[in-house]
Amino acid sequence: MTDVVTLAVLNNPRLKADRLRLGIAHAQLLQAGLLPEPEVQAGFSHPTAGPPPLVNGYSAGLMEDLSAIITRHDRRAQARARGDKVRLDILWDEWQVAYKAQQLYIRIRAQAREMRVLGAWRHVCEKTYRSDLVALKHGELTTAQLAVDQARQEQASAHWWSLKRRQYKTWLALDALLGLQPGVEPKLAGKAKLPSWSAADFHKALMHMPERRPDLQALQAGYRSQEARVRQAILQQFPALSLGISRGQDTQNVQTIGFAIHLTLPLFGQAHARIAIARATRAYLHKSYQDRLDEAVNQVHELHGTSALLRAQLRKERARWASLRTMDRSNRQSFDDGMMDTADYLDTHAHAVAVHMKVITLEAQLRRAQSDLALLLGQAPCPNSTLPSGPTG
């Protein structure tokens, strides 16, 4: 399972595209730390008439926006938090792909077991039906019994083919997730080793969930970015200041040097509107984070309760299967010895097969629930592998 998860994270086409966003975030952080380019002004004049002495006039000036220096720290803080959000969003996407790979691994392994069980049952039903056809020709079997065995054989075959189609779709989903060609079926080995929590461990993990889940951390980073944007808007309500130096000469050869100051006066409320928008956005982000956290807590409790119920049901069905398996072996021996007729043996064997299939299904459901719970609690997928387990960059 660890190999499947690792390949999914490394080879998934969508994740490869998502990681390119990191370059954009890095470039935005670099841009946020740069000052505005200085503004150069120049002019030239040539006299056409007037009292001597006449010379060519010129003017030159250099202007720099000083307000950008005042907001530089907050612009960098905003860009840094925005970059953290991008990295955490990508990490959360990686985790979701990893856990989806776990789910598909669990499903494929369970379907392979189900195929073996159903295949054996289908073989028994087909063999019995072929024997019935021979017995019917010799007058040793009634058409009513043949119809019963034929219906049983057709039902077993229909169940087998239905599972075969589901298995094919699962393989296609796994191939797409791993970036493989459709129809490739890697040989899967091992078992799904998934965590289980005691009551104390569960409540501890739930308490630390906001610190461990990348999506919740990404929302926190988005809030920090907007907090920096609010500070920028507040600073921008003061007059924007540009300072420059100029030098010139007129056509009468009078040379000058001086300073220039440009002020943008906030007279019409634009700055206050920007502050209001920034604060409203910050409030919205805070509410969105709280809503996501509440939803996550509810989902965790639901899955934790579902896992407990599945575990209790699985214990009961495993006990039934252990008892039926022993009984089925005894019935098989009686059938081979001619002490049990075909109809009775097939009825009891069908019941044993149904319980066995239920055990396999419940085991897969429990493992998938444990996988979902681990994701929601913020546990890094396959912690012993080389996959990232926290914010990167």
Side-chain angles (χ1 to χ4, degrees):
M1 186 176 68
T2 301
D3 294 336
V4 171
V5 168
T6 304
L7 287 174
V9 173
L10 294 179
N11 294 344
N12 184 258
R14 183 173 61 85
L15 289 181
K16 289 182 178 180
D18 278 351
R19 293 185 185 106
L20 297 178
R21 291 189 292 150
L22 285 174
I24 300 175
H26 292 157
Q28 289 174 336
L29 178 59
L30 175 63
Q31 182 186 38
L34 299 176
L35 295 176
E37 303 294 346
E39 180 182 349
V40 176
Q41 299 173 345
F44 175 81
S45 60
H46 178 72
T48 57
L54 296 177
V55 297
N56 292 328
Y58 71 88
S59 63
L62 185 67
M63 186 74 64
E64 178 65 23
D65 182 7
L66 298 183
S67 60
I69 299 176
I70 299 174
T71 60
R72 180 176 180 271
H73 174 76
D74 290 319
R75 283 187 289 111
R76 283 182 57 83
Q78 181 185 10
R80 191 178 298 108
R82 188 165 54 235
D84 290 340
K85 185 179 186 305
V86 170
R87 285 190 292 272
L88 290 162
D89 282 337
I90 294 174
L91 181 61
W92 181 241
D93 288 342
E94 290 178 344
W95 281 27
Q96 292 185 90
V97 167
Y99 275 100
K100 186 176 181 181
Q102 279 191 9
Q103 297 272 335
L104 292 174
Y105 171 89
I106 293 168
R107 187 173 299 170
I108 288 175
R109 298 289 283 168
Q111 287 173 344
R113 293 175 62 195
E114 291 174 335
M115 287 293 293
R116 288 194 294 270
V117 174
L118 275 183
W121 171 238
R122 178 190 179 202
H123 176 73
V124 169
C125 293
E126 289 178 346
K127 183 179 178 180
T128 301
Y129 179 63
R130 288 194 300 268
S131 299
D132 286 351
L133 292 176
V134 175
L136 183 66
K137 289 181 180 179
H138 293 83
E140 300 173 354
L141 189 74
T142 64
T143 55
Q145 184 59 47
L146 177 67
V148 171
D149 290 343
Q150 183 181 12
R152 183 185 287 114
Q153 181 269 333
E154 290 175 351
Q155 186 182 46
S157 180
H159 287 170
W160 189 87
W161 282 110
S162 177
L163 178 58
K164 188 70 175 177
R165 290 191 295 270
R166 294 199 304 271
Q167 187 184 44
Y168 176 69
K169 290 182 180 179
T170 308
W171 274 116
L172 287 180
L174 182 62
D175 289 339
L177 201 67
L178 298 179
L180 301 176
Q181 292 295 326
V184 176
E185 297 185 3
K187 186 177 180 180
L188 303 184
K191 296 182 179 180
K193 298 179 180 179
L194 296 167
S196 58
W197 292 272
S198 64
D201 290 338
F202 170 74
H203 289 294
K204 182 178 179 181
L206 182 60
M207 183 176 60
H208 292 287
M209 182 179 64
E211 308 161 16
R212 300 169 64 175
R213 272 183 53 166
D215 64 324
L216 296 177
Q217 294 178 25
L219 289 175
Q220 295 172 18
Y223 182 85
R224 292 196 303 272
S225 176
Q226 188 60 29
E227 180 70 20
R229 182 68 188 90
V230 171
R231 292 195 298 269
Q232 286 184 64
I234 292 173
L235 290 175
Q236 288 171 349
Q237 70 179 321
F238 300 104
L241 174 65
S242 297
L243 181 65
I245 186 172
S246 62
R247 181 177 177 82
Q249 173 181 289
D250 63 12
T251 56
Q252 297 295 321
N253 200 24
V254 177
Q255 298 184 8
T256 59
I257 185 171
F259 295 94
I261 296 177
H262 289 180
L263 288 176
T264 301
L265 300 178
L267 298 179
F268 302 110
Q270 292 288 340
H272 294 292
R274 286 193 295 268
I275 294 173
I277 293 173
R279 284 175 171 168
T281 304
R282 180 181 62 182
Y284 166 75
L285 291 175
H286 183 271
K287 186 65 169 62
S288 297
Y289 170 79
Q290 190 61 50
D291 289 343
R292 176 76 67 86
L293 181 60
D294 293 341
E295 180 185 12
V297 171
N298 290 333
Q299 290 175 334
V300 165
H301 280 291
E302 179 183 355
L303 266 176
H304 185 60
T306 300
S307 298
L309 293 174
L310 284 171
R311 196 174 291 109
Q313 186 180 5
L314 182 58
R315 282 196 299 267
K316 179 180 177 181
E317 294 301 329
R318 278 175 173 168
R320 287 181 62 199
W321 165 233
S323 176
L324 285 172
R325 182 170 50 185
T326 302
M327 184 184 301
D328 189 57
R329 290 172 181 170
S330 176
N331 290 340
R332 178 65 189 184
Q333 186 63 45
S334 299
F335 175 72
D336 292 340
D337 294 341
M339 300 174 63
M340 190 176 190
D341 63 27
T342 303
D344 289 341
Y345 169 69
L346 289 180
D347 286 342
T348 57
H349 186 59
H351 182 55
V353 168
V355 174
H356 192 186
M357 291 287 291
K358 192 171 185 179
V359 168
I360 296 173
T361 300
L362 286 173
E363 287 176 347
Q365 288 177 348
L366 177 59
R367 290 190 177 102
R368 292 201 299 269
Q370 289 174 323
S371 177
D372 286 336
L373 186 58
L375 173 64
L376 291 178
L377 285 174
Q379 177 164 331
C382 300
N384 294 328
S385 73
T386 57
L387 293 180
S389 59
T392 59

